[in-house]
Amino acid sequence: MEEVRRLCAVLCTAVFTVACGTMEMERPPGGGAGGEVPPAPVRKDLYVTGVEYPEGYDWHVDQDYGYVACTVFLMKNGERIVEISVDPKDMVAPDADMHRCYDGHLYTDFSSDTETVIKCDGVELFRYSDREMICSMQVVGDDVYTLGMPRHGDGWTFRRNGMILNVKTTGYVLTRLGIDNGELWFAYVDQIVSGDDVRERYYLVRDGVTSPVGANGDVEKIDDILLRDGILYYTARLKGMPQHIVYIGDQASSVELGSADETVGCRIHYDGGSVLYVTGIKRQAAIGDMSTLWKNFALDYNMPVSTTVYGNYIDGDDISYVFRGKYKGDDYRLIIWDKYSSVDYGEAELDYAMLGETCAAAYGGHLCVALHPVVQGTPPALIVDREMQVYDFNGYFTSVSYW
């Protein structure tokens, strides 16, 4: 265990080689507009969900999937507050995308052959007669809103307590459910098929009302949509332009292309401060694809696209990112880069990855990352404010959030 803890002492410089490329850093100091000191954020607690298996069971192989007894749990500030036994008869599954924390409670969903069941802390809230994959959830007072996609086929359904509010049988969901000034919103893509030609149309659903986004004829593709303080943000590729345009209300700005040929798949990261971040791919024939972050539309970093970027986590005017790539040799390592510097975690004999984007969160200057053991016998761990905390149980963490 001491060797595990010593990993968090490895610090890197501000510019380093990853795989075959160099990370380019242009990181001006953060801070509020006009140098003002932002108010201290309201204190929030750290919640972590996870799955625990019986001692000795190899969940990496999981030969008894669906039958082995296990437990889904919720921790608050390092202590378990909810534990739920996983059993198909009780309609609880261990899948990481079928449980989540919301406002300090553990919500689960389960799809049988004929229906979907939603529970809170193990107690059934409601069920309905469609097999859906819940891709997003919001809780407002006593109401649970879900955005689900059919287990087979296209389309989506927006529900309140299981009752349908909006439904589409074509297209797909583009964003998660969000709340802006008390209004629930999400974005979706509708696909119009004509022979071999598939055209996409983009829509925002805001407080139940649907409106088109980027309906101008020069918009080829929209990659991300955000509603913040009543203002609509979205990233788009326009006909004849190689780089993405970011629309903020009626204003438009382009991300810095540099020597690249084009940009691909740009997403917005904004928390209401003075800095807007965009992530995406810069494509250049001579070099290859580069994962890129822009800060207020100017280049902030590049790294080879062969590096796995697990997530980018916005916290006011600061952003942290977690990725897995080659560093100081041929072994793939887990790297966490925040506003201070980078930390390299994961020696060959203590190999970690990250299960998904929901396994890290940032808030109020704090960053927590759940490390996913890749090798049997490696203990699950959390990195909380750059310090590794190892946990003694057979299993893994599935999400991190502040409430």
Side-chain angles (χ1 to χ4, degrees), residues 375-395:
V375 180
Q376 183 182 9
T378 302
L382 298 175
I383 297 174
V384 182
D385 295 338
R386 304 173 66 80
E387 293 189 2
M388 181 177 284
Q389 302 173 4
V390 178
Y391 288 78
D392 185 19
F393 70 93
N394 183 32

